[in-house]
Structures are given as structure tokens and as C-alpha cells.
Amino acid sequence: MSQHHFSDKTPTLEFQTFPNVLPKTCDYSSLLTNITEPEKERSIPQVEQDEAEHEIAIQLPASECQKADFWREIHGQNDWIDLLDPMDPRLRSELIRYGEMAQACYDAFDYNLFSKYCGTCKYTPSEFFDSLGMSQLGYTEFSFPKVWSKHANWIGYIAVSNDETSRRLGRRDITIAWRGTVTRLEWMEDIMDFLVPISSKIPCSDATVKVQKGFLDLYTGKKEDCKYCRLSAREQILSEVRRLLDKYADEEVSITITGHSLGAALAILSAYDIVETSLKELAADRPAVPLCVERLESTLGLKVLRVVNAHDVVPKVPGFFFNERSPPMMMRYAKWLPWSYSHVGVELALDHRNSPFLKKAVHDDPIRAHNLEAHLHLLDGYHGKSHKFELASGRDIALVNKASDFLEDEYLVLPNWRQDENKGMVRNKDGHWVQPERRVHDLCCRGTPDDDHVCNI
């Protein structure tokens, strides 16, 4: 079993209870991320100078001002009623932003088997979003490991909105982002689709609450003699959430959890865990901390929005025969079967056939329909079920082919084009091509089992 290190930093939102059987969450997430060039222009505050007064006033675009007052609705306070059809532009913008934060987990993951850093994040905390061209997001406070070990893989990060972004969003936002399946060991955990009581690894008073074993093992697994994974991903997240809620105790805070594929399942698990294990005690003496899980399949009464491609088969298994669309009586008898799963939350189903930019047939390459960048493209063009597909932000369509071959050939965008220059090799002072050393920093696996924020988990 592979262990996972989780980079540090997070905020919250509100939810309720998990269903008795947690559904397998294997579809995409889409929460807004990278702002395209046209959007950047609209998002940059307009500077106006009064020549008579010689004063400079900064004026935010109207949509950004409205977002601060509207954020609870965007995060599902009213279950996104009247926001999905037609699509509210503020919601679309936020979905893409958070979706790109999930995509960053893929783009920053080093899975080059010839790299001595294989399994790590490619970038240090200070350069993370800058290196991915996402500095405009306005999130800070990261922590990544220095050197890796054979026992651990980097699978996500926690980031906190800075002061300027917090003012724009209307609260301090802690975002937890998870990537999907990449390594072979993760694929092995994915296929362990039988259910086990969640109480076997996570405190839960209801023994009937069950979860897929592979997901639970990835979330709670650790190796105490490895300095990078002596704490499980679970312990790292709960520790950091507690620390951040203490740090921002005097502010309004939200926690947003975003993930794709395997990351969607882990996002649900961590959301459930945060609510049941941490927030009850932490939020007792402060205003309600809302926790929102975006683009996941189940929720423990959480506000969950699942953004899917209707032609993606991954979210349909193992619940292909018994799922949320089955008659309740049938599900009552089938819920103990290993292939019985139900999706929970509000679904936003997109259809890649509506985009004139994408290839219509995916039967020859089903991975296309499961591509997160394609989901973000579909979100950008979605205005409602009966509305014409039209890109809203000018988001570059070439991003769809970053790691796929989904764009129509007429657009002349190379398939799977994203890679580091010279595949990461550099020439040293002797003229030899070598793998560069990475900057050294000592933020390995933050905390120990004895730390104040961890000991009560």
C-alpha cells in the first residue's frame, strides 16, 4: 500500500451527515481555476484618477464585488437552486477556479520513473502557483517535502487565501485539493471496491457507515519510521485544519475541498472526517464554519456539487447496476453488494458532444471523457441545458490537449503536449545533461503524533 503526504494549509463551510454507505466517487471536479487572459483584464481593478482631486480610486469589477456578497449561495447554501440552469456566471467562475486548483495537483506531481524525485511535488511552496501560471489565485501558506522516500507519494495540498483575495471572496478560504489516480499502487487501491466500516479507521458512532476499503487505506495509511509519512494524510489534514481555524479564529472562514476521480472520493472522506472529528469541538465557541465539497459524488449531508461528463464511464462503476437511480426497495437489498454505490449531492451533467471543439466519439479512448481539463472546458462553455455552447471566459482550448487527444484535429493542437523543457534535463557546468537538484527546504511531514494539533485526533 502506498502512503501519501499532504502538503499543509486550509479554510471551511457547513455540512450535515454522511449516508450509511459512502458512494464511490470517481468523476471529475470542476471548480474554477486559472483565469484566462480576457478574464485577467476584467479582473484587474480599474484605476481611475480624478484630475481635480488628484486622488486614485481602485474599483473592482461588479462581478467580483457581487461574489463577496454571494459566496454562500455559490457554495451551496440553497443547493444551487436556480444557479445551474441557466448557469450563474459567478458560480461558473468559482467552479473553474477550484477545478484548476485540483488540476494543479496533476501538473505539479513528478511521476517520471527516471527521476530521483519521483513521487514528489515538483515545486517548492513559494513557487508553486507561480510555476503553474496561477499566481493570480491569491492563495498562500504551503508546505512541501524536501526529499522523497519509497514509502510516500505527494497527492495534494492545502492553501489559504491571502488578505486581498479574502476581501474579494468575502471570507478567508481554506482549500484542500486532491489529485486523482496516477501511480500503479493507487490503481490497485481503486479496485478494492468492497465496503468496510469507516469506524475501523475513523471515529464514528454508527457502525453501519461503510466506505470503499482502498480509499480508506489511502487516506489513513502511514509508516511511522518514514519522516515523510509518519503521519497519515488524514492526520496531516486534521492537524492543519485545526491549526488554521485557531489562527483565523477571529475571521469568517470557509473550507472548500476539491478533487478529481480518486481525489473526489478522498475529498468526501476528508470532509466527513473534518466534520465528525474536528469541527464539533473546534467550532463550539465560534460562528458556524461552512464546509463545501465541490465536484464530488457523495456528501455526509455536506453541500456537494458533482460536475461530470455524461459520457464518462468511470463514475458509473462499480455502481453500474445498483445506484442512486435504482428503486429504493432494490437498493435496500443490494446495498451490501460490492458493486452497489450511490452518488450523493447535486449533479451538473455536461455533454462533450455540445462542444464544437471536441471530438464526438470517445469509445476509442474512454480516458478522454474522464479528463479534468476537458471538464473545465465544458464548464466554460455551459450556459444551461437548452443554451448554445459558447466559451464564457476565453479559456484557452489548447489546455484540453495538455494530457489528452480530445480536441478536433483541425485546431492543430498537439496531443499530450505538456512537458517540462527538455523533459527536465539541464546542462551542468561540465556540459553534461543531468537532472537538476531541487532547492532544499526542511518542511517534510509537518508535525509529530505528539503535537498539540495532532494528539487529539
Side-chain angles (χ1 to χ4, degrees), residues 128-141:
F128 184 78
F129 278 141
D130 287 343
S131 298
L132 294 169
M134 301 170 68
S135 57
Q136 80 281 354
L137 290 184
Y139 281 69
T140 56
E141 291 195 55

Side-chain angles (χ1 to χ4, degrees), residues 183-225:
T183 72
R184 285 170 290 185
L185 286 175
E186 290 162 0
W187 281 111
M188 292 174 62
E189 298 292 349
D190 284 352
I191 63 176
M192 297 176 64
D193 62 356
F194 54 92
L195 300 173
V196 296
I198 196 171
S199 57
S200 63
K201 298 290 182 66
I202 298 174
C204 178
S205 58
D206 186 351
T208 66
V209 177
K210 296 189 176 185
V211 68
Q212 196 247 39
K213 185 181 188 310
F215 298 157
L216 188 61
D217 287 346
L218 286 173
Y219 181 59
T220 60
K222 61 181 178 179
K223 189 172 181 62
E224 294 184 1
D225 60 353

Side-chain angles (χ1 to χ4, degrees), residues 82-101:
D82 297 328
L83 297 183
L84 300 178
D85 190 15
M87 170 64 78
D88 185 276
R90 294 162 295 185
L91 174 60
R92 178 197 296 110
S93 173
E94 288 296 274
L95 288 176
I96 296 175
R97 181 168 66 85
Y98 285 117
E100 289 184 347
M101 292 178 81

